[in-house]
Amino acid sequence: MRRLRTSIQATTPALAPARTPPTPPLASNKPQPALVARRAHTMTTPDYTTYTPAALLARVTDLEAQLRALNTAHRTFTPPPLSKKPPKAHKPFDPTNYNFRFIALKFAYLGGGYNGFEHHANNATPLPTIEEVLWTALRKTRLIFPVYGDGVTEGSVCWEGVGYSKCGRTDKGVSAFGQVVGLRVRSSRPKDIPTEEASGDAVGEGGGKGAVDVGDSLPPNTHAAVTDNRLNATASDHPPPPQPPTWDPITDEHPYIQLLNRVLPPDIRILAWCPHPPPDFSARFSCRERRYRYFFTNPAYACAPGSPEGRLDVAAMQEAAQKLEGVHDFRNFCKVDPGKQITNFERRIFHAGIHTHTVGSTPPLAANGDASGTPASMLQSPELFYFEVRGSAFLWHQVRHLVAILFLVGQGYEKPEIVDYLLDTDACPGKPVYDMADDRPLVLWECVFPDLEELRTHSVDGHSDRSVEDTLEWVYVGAEAGGRDGKKRVLPGVDDGFFGRNGIMDDLWALWRKRKIDEVLAGGLMDVVLRRHGASASDAVVDGHVVSVAGGEARSDRVFDGSDGPRLVGKYVPLMRRKRMEAPGVLNKRYALRKGLVSREGGSGEVGE
């Protein structure tokens, strides 16, 4: 713009001010059309040919000022807020408008990402607990309404007023496929329909025997009025009165499984619910048998061919496991907590043994081979086993201590008779110092609630002398009655709550696929490394991979504890020659003296794994 001004001033000579030519006289007062048009054009578009250089500069300066003002106004322009409807006021949820019922929930979880099952108040943990996540889901779906006492802030985990009980308390990293809790939850039963307790059909604390018929629930004097009308009118004039409403406690109830699974993480899944628990049901004390499984591979870890350190002697492990059955004092197979003041360490084991894991190890769609068409029988992999133990109750870390001893027997460091030695509290009053097995492969497989009448028939001192079967009326996910979400559109064979959209298998398949891809990638990485290394005459195939033979003897013994790799322990020291811990009685007495307590006799100690 400055260059334009300079060029105009340099090239244009000084001119006299332009004079407007005189307007010729009009013949009449009426303006001529040509003149009107010219005036309009002159008003809209100035005739710059008549401008002097000074007038042009003034015009340009004025236009620049207008442009700057428009730019400034554009930059500072704030668009008006979009017209939105004001948010609706939060409507309080009044639990007194709803009925409640007592039920039991069976659920499964993978414990690797959690700090155990039980939540401890005022004890922050690096990872959430299963109870915290379950409590949050129950509160989010507004199924429970705890009663907060003094000193308990609203929003913290609280089970008061819910009738809550739990079966097992698994430790950090331990999973469960059959965990059970009992609690009172919100019901869809209308308020005008009495509960089973009111109608005399009560089976349990919140149970019933089926659909509830309200029966004679009309207002007073209604029956008399109906009778008088029937005397004065025919049946065609007065249709029969409407039937009283009915409500089925299973098919008409809230879809508890779907409600909770929508808000729970994928590694925690509700499997079933029991609409009619027995009277005085407690998930802890009504459970008369707990079943654990501990999974492991054979070989336990990669090792040089010809060396027995990685190969487990499953037959010796089975011989040692059978010695655990029956009633024994397991003080040398647990972790003693003096704070519990436990003096009775006797527990009954119904079954203990080593089993081959085959059923359910591969999903049905992958059973015929891999993606390249290779038959499944040609895919070499380590053998999978699990140790199963069934008992009425377990001590703290008891199962993991049992597995640790079995692994020592399987590796040949101990004989099966070591179990007899540890069970003999006279010969071994204190537990030898040894590490328990890893937590990840342990699963609380099932919690059994038997029929009480049958239990009394086959019992010794109030305890069953044999393994029992579960008799609770479970409604599993996908069941036509009570296992589906009736408010959702259901396609036969597709949307049944099991397979298909929003089915439980969608999340489980995604979880399994993620772990399977990790397995494939890790196996492929080993193949690449071994292929680069190459095989020689001194190499051998272990678990489908070529492993080089290391020269010389190992400098340290390796002990398998169920984790991803063995532990280096130097020269292995047999258990009978190790230092022993103090007897539980000594530990309890020292703790009681330090705390100023009196030792309690006959503690139950049903802490579990």
Side-chain angles (χ1 to χ4, degrees), residues 4 102 107 182 198 220 267 299 506 510 532 576:
L4 177 62
F102 186 81
F107 58 101
D267 51 2
D506 283 358
R532 294 284 185 181
M576 298 179 65

Side-chain angles (χ1 to χ4, degrees), residues 125-194:
T125 56
L127 296 174
T129 62
I130 301 295
E131 268 191 333
E132 291 179 64
V133 179
L134 179 62
W135 184 88
T136 302
L138 291 167
R139 289 288 291 154
K140 189 173 184 179
T141 53
R142 295 179 176 179
L143 291 178
I144 63 172
F145 299 87
V147 179
Y148 294 96
D150 297 337
V152 181
T153 59
E154 186 172 356
S156 59
V157 178
C158 176
W159 299 102
E160 293 296 328
V162 182
Y164 175 77
S165 62
K166 53 197 169 189
C167 183
R169 287 173 279 182
T170 55
D171 291 328
K172 177 182 177 181
V174 179
S175 303
F177 293 169
Q179 180 69 276
V180 175
V181 296
L183 72 170
R184 295 188 68 87
V185 295
R186 177 171 56 90
S187 174
S188 66
R189 180 193 302 275
K191 294 289 287 186
D192 57 349
I193 297 182

